[in-house]
Amino acid sequence: MSLIFHWFLPTNGDSRHVVGGGHGTPATASGRDRPPTVAYLSQIARAAEDLGFVGALTPTGAWCEDAWLTTAMVSQNTERLKFLVAFRPGFVSPTLAAQMASTFQRQTGGRLLLNVVTGGESHEQRAYGDFLDKDARYRRTGEFLQIVRGLWEGKTVDLAGEHLLIEDAKLARLPDPIPEVYFGGSSPIAGEVAARHVDVYLTWGEPPAQVAEKIAWIRKLAAQEGRTLRFGIRLHVITRDTSEQAWAEADHLLAGFDPETVRAVQAGLARSESEGQRRMLALHGGGSRDGLEIHPNLWAGIGLVRGGAGTALVGSHDEVAERIKEYAALGIEEFILSGYPHLEEAYWFGEGVLPKLQAQGLWQHPYGQQAALSAQVPFAGTGTPG
């Protein structure tokens, strides 16, 4: 079985520096270096498609462009790349969301994946008119997914839930294929929702021992529901021809972190209600620049200025491939990756690491050998690929 790799569309802007933001914190000024225009995001998407990434995650929140609209436009400039659209179920009717997904599938030839983001932070949720607390938001997500899945199966749905009331709902046209649902969450109630409703459980890039514990936890819950899930991980990546070059790039990014920005971001993230965000903060001690390599080739520096995914695989192509094998041995099948800038880093990973994994029988280009050959374009790694 081939491992699956996805890339990331930086709809909050891109830069040669880390673009902060997320979990209630605004995007940093570096996000204006490369604005998230449809033209630039399409350039990243086409590169990812050629290199062999299956899909591209697009985030959600007040800090970035809307994921549904952006991916709908970018999809018209690509042929095969799927779009892992992050969205918050509390902001849209489940019937409308099911209809939107069905439309997206028809208009793109079945290239939609859905990343259900239950909550965000309460103060951000309230800005959108959502005043439920965290646990209630997860319970609503469970009801939402129950409705949506019923509609996708062609059922007429009636539900009088704790948070959602639906009568005589039915889709005129069903999605083909039914979009797979991705979901992450580290709290007990998040595990319950994942076990009952989702296809792929996602974790942020914690050290392997912690990831193994999460996988065992979710597998047990899913088994109790008579279900089997797949597992994915969300990481940044800095890979180069040599380890020294990769760590030099990490040091370059770290040197660009303004101390006041780090303090402000960490103060904001410390107020987060997210258990996953708390676990990310614990990896770097709440803002310390010391001891950031928390496992061989796993660097927690990104989390100093960015909410959400805060760790990166850093090393030579061989070293990064070995870390991927380590996670795969735990049961991780899908890797959602990103790097700054996203265009150049897609090439570094796609031309440096994927061939290593292919040679070991762990990956194959999803579109076949001819597509793989078409992706072999000269790239020196110091500028925008031609």
Side-chain angles (χ1 to χ4, degrees), residues 149-167:
R149 285 199 176 279
L151 291 170
W152 285 343
E153 293 169 2
K155 299 176 181 177
T156 298
V157 178
D158 294 279
L159 179 70
E162 178 185 0
H163 300 287
L164 297 175
L165 175 63
I166 297 292
E167 293 184 358

Side-chain angles (χ1 to χ4, degrees), residues 11 58-61 64-72 84-87 104:
T11 56
T58 308
T60 185
C64 57
E65 298 287 0
D66 177 75
W68 284 101
L69 292 173
T70 301
T71 54
L84 183 48
V85 175
F87 78 104
F104 201 112

Side-chain angles (χ1 to χ4, degrees), residues 119-139:
E121 305 303 328
S122 288
H123 70 277
E124 186 181 9
Q125 295 289 125
R126 289 194 292 269
Y128 286 91
D130 182 10
F131 287 82
L132 294 183
D133 63 25
K134 176 184 171 182
D135 282 1
R137 291 198 297 265
Y138 274 107
R139 292 195 297 272

Side-chain angles (χ1 to χ4, degrees), residues 165-187:
L165 175 63
I166 297 292
E167 293 184 358
D168 199 30
K170 187 176 178 64
L171 291 183
R173 302 180 68 182
L174 301 181
D176 184 19
I178 292 175
E180 291 193 304
V181 176
Y182 291 64
F183 173 94
S186 299
S187 63

Side-chain angles (χ1 to χ4, degrees), residues 184-205:
S186 299
S187 63
I189 193 168
E192 294 174 14
V193 173
R196 293 172 184 163
H197 299 290
V198 310
D199 300 298
V200 182
Y201 176 82
L202 297 176
T203 178
W204 284 326

Side-chain angles (χ1 to χ4, degrees), residues 276-316:
Q277 183 61 70
R278 184 195 65 76
R279 293 167 69 107
M280 281 282 103
L281 291 179
L283 296 179
H284 57 67
S288 172
R289 298 188 182 221
D290 299 322
L292 290 173
E293 188 178 6
I294 56 176
H295 182 79
N297 307 109
L298 183 63
W299 184 61
I302 302 292
L304 295 178
V305 295
R306 185 191 192 277
T311 53
L313 296 178
V314 181
S316 68

